[in-house]
Amino acid sequence: MKKSALQKARATYQPKLPIVLTGAVKAVEGQPTQSVANQAEIKELFPNTYGLPELKFEKATAPAPSKPINVGVILSGGQAPGGHNVICGLFDGLKKINKDSRLYGFLMGPGGFVDHQYKELTADFIKDYRNTGGFDIIGSGRTKLETKEQFDKGLEILKELNISALVIIGGDDSNTNAAVLAEYYKSINAGVQVLGCPKTIDGDLKNDVIETSFGFDTATKVYSEVIGNIQRDCNSAKKYWHFIKLMGRSASHIALECALQTQPNICIVSEEVEQKDMTLQQVVDYVAEIVAKRAANGNNFGTVLIPEGLIEFIPAVKRLIAELNDLLAKNAEEFATVAPADQRAYIIGHLSKENAAVYESLPEGVARQLSLDRDPHGNVQVSLIETEKLLSEMVGKRLAQWKKEGKYNGKFSAQHHFFGYEGRCADPSNFDADYCYALGFNAACLIKGGFTGYMSSVRNLTKPSVQWIAGGIPITMMMNMERRNGKMKPVIQKALVNLDGAPFRKFAEQRDDWAVNTCYVYPGPIQYFGPSEVCDQPTLTLKYEHQGK
Amino acid sequence: MKKSALQKARATYQPKLPIVLTGAVKAVEGQPTQSVANQAEIKELFPNTYGLPELKFEKATAPAPSKPINVGVILSGGQAPGGHNVICGLFDGLKKINKDSRLYGFLMGPGGFVDHQYKELTADFIKDYRNTGGFDIIGSGRTKLETKEQFDKGLEILKELNISALVIIGGDDSNTNAAVLAEYYKSINAGVQVLGCPKTIDGDLKNDVIETSFGFDTATKVYSEVIGNIQRDCNSAKKYWHFIKLMGRSASHIALECALQTQPNICIVSEEVEQKDMTLQQVVDYVAEIVAKRAANGNNFGTVLIPEGLIEFIPAVKRLIAELNDLLAKNAEEFATVAPADQRAYIIGHLSKENAAVYESLPEGVARQLSLDRDPHGNVQVSLIETEKLLSEMVGKRLAQWKKEGKYNGKFSAQHHFFGYEGRCADPSNFDADYCYALGFNAACLIKGGFTGYMSSVRNLTKPSVQWIAGGIPITMMMNMERRNGKMKPVIQKALVNLDGAPFRKFAEQRDDWAVNTCYVYPGPIQYFGPSEVCDQPTLTLKYEHQGK
């Protein structure tokens, strides 16, 4: 592995642990907990792991001597900066318990656990991954751990390797599965603890007890860097509107955080669009009005941040897609005989009046994509729609109309960007490097304490890392019942952007000013070696959420 | 202006000047020069400024007392990191000559000079722009300074403001125009010196005497950062081929430098494609073969860097476009009556056999774009073609064919990226911050020396900045005659990637290894405060070019 100069310099960084984890610890148990909703159903589904107390680690007088512990670790789902440091923290924590402890990594995600693909992680091997981005240390994957067969198959390799605890690093679904697995192993007395770690750049795995998922900090900083650069370009050339789509399908935390960091002219927040029951045309008009207002001031340029999931949050589009899915499934044979040139008319003729109108309002290319490109289950593939281009095309049309009506007399020229892969594997910021290392080290403490069904928890995150609070949160505590693929299932509640929360309110207070005036902020690239106010700041989302408490 | 934490910290950075410029200087003249080609024609066109000697500044014993000098400055063309520091260096240099010197910035590029739009740049105003990216201090524009009318109009405002020197910060065309303007003002004894500064992220303004243009260092570092992040993602998920297009239409320096920095599986170099007279299908097959080879090893992922100008370098495509332009111009009326569904057949029927075959080989969407989207002059708009998607689509088709033939049995799934605006206005790296400041400061020294028709020159750039050599290069020295819009004109020779040069050879030696094996390097974000080996490295292009000397 040829290393860059930064990689070499960064390898020597020693993540700062919460002070409490630097010595011997004891777990202090809080009150028994209950799930955030549907308590009776969740309790019934998790008879062995429901109602566990929250845990907080405190200083112990002397470490209890410990036998070696063998542990398995899985990286599950999309990459997030800092995953390698969770593993390094876990490794160091286990070695501190007993130098003969061993850590095994299952390869390419949960699939490696089921298929018995693994690698022992030694000190010499992991040293190259300390403080680096990516999940390439053992790879990741999207296999869902859900069935008894998988659990039993996995147990075979755990027994073979004498592993007594499994750490699953993943998002809300993976942690839900960790809880199910913990419950199952407990129910059969398998002698295996299962613990989760909160990972996702999307920022939607958080709640009263989990302050943030790891990776959100770094990823949003990378996106804010390039958005800032684009804004500086925009403000220098003064001739383009940049439509910038940002990863995050199920919530708009990324777009919101980047907006707070960079102060663009426009940021769409999907949760607000949904709450206000806005149509796509209303979203378009909202953008077009700001474009026109700026043009009236001579400013034919600007920036628009768009969350990837926007289209799926628009109630009217959701209804259209539902009917389209039905229609194309029911009339599949007949539709297959319709000539391409007649398909549009056919679809409009067969949709309800309301949905036909929405369909007609879409640019033809997008409408065609909706009816032609379907997934293996026959469903419309909303994720293929280039929302940033859809929006700018519709804005352009509306402006052309206003120009005819004499209401607008500017120039509108658009550039498009989509940022996602650029940030998921960046080298973790100091925040994520420390947070992840602490999450992993803390998981080792939970393992030593014999706990199962917990998520590793590190809190008080807007304070310097030495003051962070470490402990464990019962995963069932974050659960409710939701419909998934037509069946009610216990799942960790996803955190959408809270329109009453401090981050959104801060944004909403300022956005009219940002829209008309040019208030761009240019955060620049993540710094690792400079002054603390440059290198060690948490996200504004976290800062405002904590101020609001 | 709300400043980010990094902006505030970076504002205090004092760019390091070449030691020679820190005290009093005298200009040492070298031998008279001549243009790189077409000496007789260029000499005739520049009777007053041809053949000037190269200049090198050396330490003088004592500064000559100087009167205040008023200077105008123009930012011309696309943004490049460090432009603000050229202006700051120029300002500080002028104030050092005499504290009553004044600097005026013409607004939004050369257009502001012609239209008398300007702003006085004071110490208080420019302090917010020190070490920052962007051209927003006075804006930039693409108006070409070419006509006597423009020159005379501009002279009015220069006289009004008592300006005796004009500094044009721009690319090859803008510096060519600076030379023409210098010659003109000299010929009419206008009493105005004109100097140029070498700017462009594309890296194609360089030669034996100009080692690099400013901005190339920072922009390629930003692109390498995000390419590295994508590669880490690619190597973690192991499921996508990322096709990454990079800005730079007329040369492939950016793609090549990013390849040297990040070691992707594939990097296309347009100059090589042209030299080997490769067809588009041959480029596609080159990529497809590597995809297949990696798939045979179980690696269904990878990265491909593509220079923006690729399509225009492919000789067969160039010939097709030339014939298409002719055909659609000649048959415009008839073509307008052809139904959309029949246009493809019409075009194929009217093209020569060879070009018809090339046209047919293009994906339909691209072919349609070539015939429909034309610029105001009726020409095909090659720049609208999404080369990264075109390539991946054609690679996908070829692989599907090979799969049928049993020659390939992998999975091919592509993601697309285009990076350009992300890097043009980034905060300058230490290298660009120092280089630009020195270029501007040095321009003030050239002004004080009474020189005109020179480009500000700072050399020895792979050494620490204090050891840099400062001076001036007669712009006519870099010129040759080229056909532009049907007329022979004197222009600065563009530097294409030299296939015999050290940077390309270094790449060519290693690319087969990078293709099959996964040798990704992850440079990470630009650092400003860390160890020198992280913060102060010039580009590998520059390093290899100097090693090769």
Side-chain angles (χ1 to χ4, degrees):
Chain A
M1 196 194 292
K2 180 173 162 187
K3 290 183 195 163
S4 67
L6 176 59
Q7 240 175 305
K8 283 182 213 159
R10 189 69 179 154
T12 63
Y13 178 73
Q14 180 54 49
K16 298 181 279 293
L17 272 182
I19 195 90
V20 66
L21 295 184
T22 57
V25 294
K26 60 176 183 216
V28 178
E29 300 192 358
Q31 295 299 309
T33 59
Q34 40 179 341
S35 60
V36 287
N38 312 99
Q39 290 82 5
E41 289 108 309
I42 309 267
K43 186 175 181 180
E44 203 187 318
L45 289 164
F46 294 87
N48 296 286
T49 51
Y50 186 84
L52 296 169
E54 275 188 49
L55 301 173
K56 190 177 156 188
F57 286 119
E58 292 186 2
K59 268 208 153 99
T61 42
S66 288
K67 286 185 301 183
I69 309 176
N70 289 358
V71 171
V73 64
I74 298 173
L75 290 166
S76 178
Q79 280 73 249
H84 287 166
N85 265 24
V86 178
I87 292 177
C88 296
L90 177 60
F91 180 87
D92 291 352
L94 293 174
K95 289 293 181 184
K96 192 178 159 197
I97 291 169
N98 186 305
K99 68 174 178 34
D100 294 323
S101 297
R102 286 164 175 247
L103 180 62
Y104 294 93
F106 290 102
L107 304 181
M108 300 312 293
F113 171 62
V114 177
D115 300 336
H116 302 185
Q117 301 293 315
Y118 67 90
K119 178 180 184 70
E120 185 178 347
L121 304 177
T122 61
D124 193 52
F125 180 72
I126 70 165
K127 78 173 189 314
D128 283 340
Y129 295 90
R130 289 183 185 266
N131 310 309
T132 62
F135 278 9
D136 45 311
I137 185 169
I138 48 173
S140 182
R142 295 190 181 271
T143 302
K144 290 198 187 309
L145 278 186
E146 289 179 319
T147 68
K148 185 174 170 303
E149 289 67 36
Q150 291 173 314
F151 300 168
D152 290 336
K153 194 79 200 306
L155 190 55
E156 291 171 14
I157 188 68
L158 298 180
K159 290 292 163 199
E160 191 181 318
L161 298 173
N162 194 26
I163 288 175
S164 62
L166 185 65
V167 176
I168 298 178
I169 302 169
D172 50 345
D173 282 345
S174 304
N175 276 283
T176 292
N177 296 340
V180 175
L181 187 59
E183 172 66 28
Y184 177 71
Y185 284 165
K186 183 104 185 218
S187 75
I188 62 167
N189 284 315
V192 178
Q193 302 159 248
V194 183
L195 298 162
C197 268
K199 169 228 73 171
T200 172
I201 63 160
D202 294 350
D204 55 4
L205 172 49
K206 66 175 172 185
N207 46 51
D208 287 344
V209 285
I210 300 294
E211 295 183 359
T212 189
S213 54
F214 77 77
F216 178 68
D217 185 89
T218 306
T220 54
K221 284 184 166 114
V222 174
Y223 304 144
S224 297
E225 173 200 353
V226 288
I227 294 166
N229 289 353
I230 288 170
Q231 292 195 148
R232 194 123 210 179
D233 202 302
C234 181
N235 195 28
S236 300
K238 300 188 193 293
K239 62 179 180 181
Y240 291 122
W241 272 87
H242 292 267
F243 284 72
I244 304 167
K245 187 169 71 175
L246 295 165
M247 220 173 230
R249 273 186 71 184
S250 50
S252 308
H253 299 288
I254 290 178
L256 180 58
E257 170 65 20
C258 291
L260 292 168
Q261 291 287 353
T262 64
Q263 305 193 170
N265 302 105
I266 299 171
C267 173
I268 311 288
V269 174
S270 303
E271 289 84 346
E272 187 184 27
V273 169
E274 183 173 43
Q275 198 219 35
K276 292 185 173 169
D277 196 9
M278 288 172 82
T279 64
L280 179 56
Q281 191 59 54
Q282 283 172 324
V283 175
V284 167
D285 285 355
Y286 170 72
V287 176
E289 269 160 25
I290 291 173
V291 172
K293 213 176 279 181
R294 287 179 63 81
N297 298 336
N299 295 321
N300 289 299
F301 64 93
T303 48
V304 187
L305 305 191
I306 305 156
E308 192 184 9
L310 174 63
I311 287 292
E312 290 168 273
F313 274 85
I314 296 175
V317 177
K318 253 198 272 189
R319 289 190 293 269
L320 165 64
I321 288 168
E323 196 183 347
L324 259 183
N325 280 338
D326 271 0
L327 171 67
L328 296 176
K330 265 192 236 155
N331 300 18
E333 276 185 35
E334 188 176 282
F335 186 69
T337 67
V338 179
D342 303 327
Q343 287 175 348
R344 185 177 165 85
Y346 177 91
I347 288 171
I348 292 170
H350 284 74
L351 286 173
S352 68
K353 200 175 150 193
E354 188 210 351
N355 286 334
V358 176
Y359 188 84
E360 282 190 282
S361 76
L362 298 174
E364 282 205 37
V366 173
R368 198 181 314 125
Q369 205 166 31
L370 276 183
S371 49
L372 290 185
D373 294 328
R374 281 174 290 153
D375 72 13
H377 310 287
N379 289 321
V380 157
Q381 287 189 278
V382 187
S383 66
L384 287 184
I385 297 177
E386 295 178 296
T387 318
E388 67 283 22
K389 292 188 183 166
L390 165 66
L391 263 193
S392 85
E393 195 178 324
M394 291 181 73
V395 166
K397 278 200 183 145
R398 177 55 56 128
L399 291 168
Q401 182 198 332
W402 288 349
K403 191 165 256 181
K404 272 191 198 156
E405 295 168 6
K407 288 193 228 165
Y408 163 75
N409 195 21
K411 282 181 197 167
F412 178 71
S413 190
Q415 294 287 344
H416 305 98
H417 312 267
F418 171 39
F419 298 123
Y421 297 101
E422 291 76 3
R424 305 197 315 174
C425 287
D427 291 328
S429 61
N430 285 351
F431 175 89
D432 269 328
D434 292 354
Y435 180 43
C436 289
Y437 187 81
L439 283 172
F441 197 97
N442 183 62
C445 299
L446 289 169
I447 291 168
K448 188 184 173 195
F451 301 103
T452 190
Y454 278 83
M455 199 183 287
S456 178
S457 155
V458 175
R459 294 155 78 171
N460 209 27
L461 295 172
T462 50
K463 292 287 188 314
S465 44
V466 290
Q467 297 176 35
W468 289 352
I469 296 163
I473 305 293
I475 301 178
T476 54
M477 183 182 170
M478 309 169 203
M479 287 188 166
N480 66 355
M481 300 298 291
E482 288 181 25
R483 186 172 297 279
R484 295 284 169 92
N485 297 324
K487 269 168 86 176
M488 291 305 285
K489 292 186 83 171
V491 294
I492 295 176
Q493 216 172 31
K494 236 184 230 307
L496 302 189
V497 167
N498 176 4
L499 302 181
D500 295 321
F504 181 81
R505 279 190 287 111
K506 279 272 183 185
F507 161 71
E509 277 163 23
Q510 301 173 83
R511 65 175 153 187
D512 293 342
D513 181 28
W514 299 352
V516 179
N517 304 307
T518 303
C519 307
Y520 303 151
V521 175
Y522 315 117
I526 293 176
Q527 297 296 302
Y528 300 105
F529 307 100
S532 181
E533 64 274 20
V534 176
C535 299
D536 300 322
Q537 297 306 311
T539 59
L540 288 173
T541 299
L542 203 53
K543 194 177 139 196
Y544 294 147
E545 280 172 350
H546 283 222
Q547 280 177 355
K549 271 177 189 168
Chain B
M1 196 195 292
K2 181 174 162 186
K3 289 185 196 161
S4 67
L6 175 60
Q7 241 176 305
K8 283 182 213 160
R10 189 72 179 151
T12 63
Y13 177 73
Q14 180 55 48
K16 297 180 281 292
L17 272 182
I19 196 88
V20 66
L21 296 183
T22 57
V25 295
K26 59 176 185 218
V28 177
E29 300 192 357
Q31 297 299 312
T33 60
Q34 37 178 345
S35 60
V36 287
N38 313 102
Q39 288 83 4
E41 291 107 309
I42 310 267
K43 186 175 182 179
E44 202 187 320
L45 289 163
F46 295 87
N48 296 285
T49 52
Y50 186 85
L52 296 170
E54 275 188 52
L55 301 173
K56 188 178 157 191
F57 286 118
E58 292 186 2
K59 267 206 152 97
T61 41
S66 290
K67 287 185 300 183
I69 308 177
N70 288 359
V71 171
V73 63
I74 298 173
L75 289 166
S76 179
Q79 281 72 249
H84 289 165
N85 265 24
V86 178
I87 292 177
C88 296
L90 177 60
F91 180 88
D92 291 352
L94 292 173
K95 289 292 181 183
K96 192 179 161 197
I97 292 168
N98 187 305
K99 69 176 176 39
D100 293 324
S101 297
R102 285 163 178 249
L103 180 62
Y104 295 93
F106 291 102
L107 304 181
M108 300 312 294
F113 171 63
V114 178
D115 300 336
H116 302 185
Q117 301 294 313
Y118 66 90
K119 178 179 184 73
E120 185 179 348
L121 304 177
T122 60
D124 193 50
F125 180 73
I126 70 163
K127 77 173 191 316
D128 284 339
Y129 294 90
R130 289 183 186 267
N131 311 309
T132 63
F135 277 10
D136 45 310
I137 186 169
I138 49 175
S140 183
R142 295 192 180 270
T143 301
K144 291 199 184 308
L145 277 187
E146 291 177 316
T147 69
K148 185 175 170 305
E149 291 66 36
Q150 290 173 317
F151 299 168
D152 290 337
K153 195 80 201 307
L155 190 56
E156 291 171 14
I157 188 70
L158 297 179
K159 291 291 162 202
E160 191 181 317
L161 298 172
N162 194 26
I163 288 175
S164 62
L166 186 64
V167 177
I168 297 178
I169 302 169
D172 51 344
D173 282 345
S174 304
N175 276 284
T176 291
N177 296 341
V180 176
L181 188 59
E183 171 67 29
Y184 177 71
Y185 284 165
K186 184 104 184 222
S187 74
I188 62 170
N189 283 315
V192 178
Q193 302 159 247
V194 183
L195 298 162
C197 268
K199 169 228 73 169
T200 172
I201 63 160
D202 294 350
D204 55 5
L205 172 48
K206 66 174 172 187
N207 46 51
D208 287 344
V209 286
I210 299 294
E211 296 183 357
T212 189
S213 54
F214 77 77
F216 178 68
D217 185 88
T218 306
T220 53
K221 284 185 166 112
V222 175
Y223 303 144
S224 296
E225 173 201 353
V226 288
I227 293 166
N229 289 354
I230 288 170
Q231 292 194 148
R232 195 123 210 178
D233 202 303
C234 182
N235 196 26
S236 301
K238 300 188 192 295
K239 63 180 180 181
Y240 291 121
W241 272 87
H242 292 267
F243 284 72
I244 304 168
K245 187 170 70 175
L246 295 164
M247 218 172 231
R249 272 185 73 184
S250 52
S252 308
H253 299 288
I254 291 179
L256 180 58
E257 170 65 20
C258 291
L260 292 168
Q261 291 287 351
T262 64
Q263 306 192 170
N265 301 105
I266 299 172
C267 173
I268 310 288
V269 174
S270 303
E271 289 84 344
E272 186 184 27
V273 169
E274 183 173 44
Q275 199 219 33
K276 293 186 174 170
D277 197 10
M278 289 172 83
T279 63
L280 180 55
Q281 190 59 52
Q282 282 172 324
V283 175
V284 166
D285 285 352
Y286 171 72
V287 176
E289 269 159 26
I290 291 172
V291 172
K293 213 176 279 180
R294 286 180 63 80
N297 297 337
N299 296 321
N300 289 298
F301 64 91
T303 50
V304 187
L305 305 191
I306 305 157
E308 191 184 10
L310 174 63
I311 286 292
E312 291 168 272
F313 274 86
I314 295 176
V317 176
K318 255 198 270 189
R319 290 190 292 270
L320 165 64
I321 288 168
E323 195 183 348
L324 259 183
N325 281 337
D326 271 0
L327 170 69
L328 296 176
K330 267 193 234 155
N331 300 19
E333 276 185 34
E334 188 177 282
F335 186 69
T337 66
V338 180
D342 303 326
Q343 287 174 349
R344 184 176 166 84
Y346 177 91
I347 288 172
I348 293 170
H350 284 73
L351 286 173
S352 69
K353 200 176 151 195
E354 188 211 351
N355 286 334
V358 176
Y359 189 84
E360 281 190 282
S361 76
L362 297 174
E364 282 206 37
V366 173
R368 198 182 313 125
Q369 205 166 31
L370 276 182
S371 50
L372 291 184
D373 294 328
R374 281 175 291 153
D375 73 11
H377 310 287
N379 289 322
V380 158
Q381 287 190 279
V382 187
S383 66
L384 286 185
I385 296 178
E386 294 177 295
T387 318
E388 68 283 21
K389 293 188 184 168
L390 165 65
L391 264 193
S392 85
E393 195 178 323
M394 291 181 74
V395 166
K397 278 199 183 146
R398 179 53 56 129
L399 291 170
Q401 184 198 329
W402 288 349
K403 191 166 257 180
K404 272 191 199 156
E405 297 168 6
K407 288 194 230 164
Y408 163 74
N409 195 21
K411 282 180 196 167
F412 178 70
S413 189
Q415 295 286 342
H416 304 98
H417 312 266
F418 171 39
F419 298 123
Y421 297 101
E422 291 75 3
R424 305 196 317 172
C425 286
D427 291 329
S429 60
N430 285 351
F431 175 88
D432 270 329
D434 292 355
Y435 181 44
C436 289
Y437 187 81
L439 283 171
F441 198 96
N442 183 63
C445 298
L446 290 168
I447 290 168
K448 188 185 174 195
F451 301 103
T452 191
Y454 278 84
M455 200 183 288
S456 178
S457 154
V458 175
R459 295 156 78 172
N460 208 26
L461 296 172
T462 48
K463 293 286 188 314
S465 43
V466 290
Q467 297 177 34
W468 291 351
I469 295 163
I473 306 293
I475 301 177
T476 54
M477 182 182 171
M478 308 168 204
M479 287 187 166
N480 67 355
M481 300 297 292
E482 288 181 25
R483 186 170 298 278
R484 295 283 170 94
N485 296 324
K487 269 170 85 176
M488 289 307 283
K489 292 186 82 170
V491 295
I492 295 177
Q493 217 173 30
K494 235 184 232 304
L496 302 190
V497 167
N498 176 4
L499 302 181
D500 295 320
F504 181 81
R505 279 190 287 113
K506 278 272 182 184
F507 161 71
E509 278 163 22
Q510 300 173 84
R511 64 176 153 186
D512 292 341
D513 181 29
W514 299 351
V516 177
N517 304 307
T518 303
C519 308
Y520 303 151
V521 175
Y522 315 116
I526 293 175
Q527 297 296 302
Y528 300 104
F529 308 101
S532 180
E533 65 274 19
V534 176
C535 300
D536 300 323
Q537 297 307 310
T539 59
L540 288 173
T541 299
L542 203 53
K543 195 177 137 195
Y544 294 147
E545 280 172 351
H546 282 223
Q547 280 178 355
K549 273 179 190 166

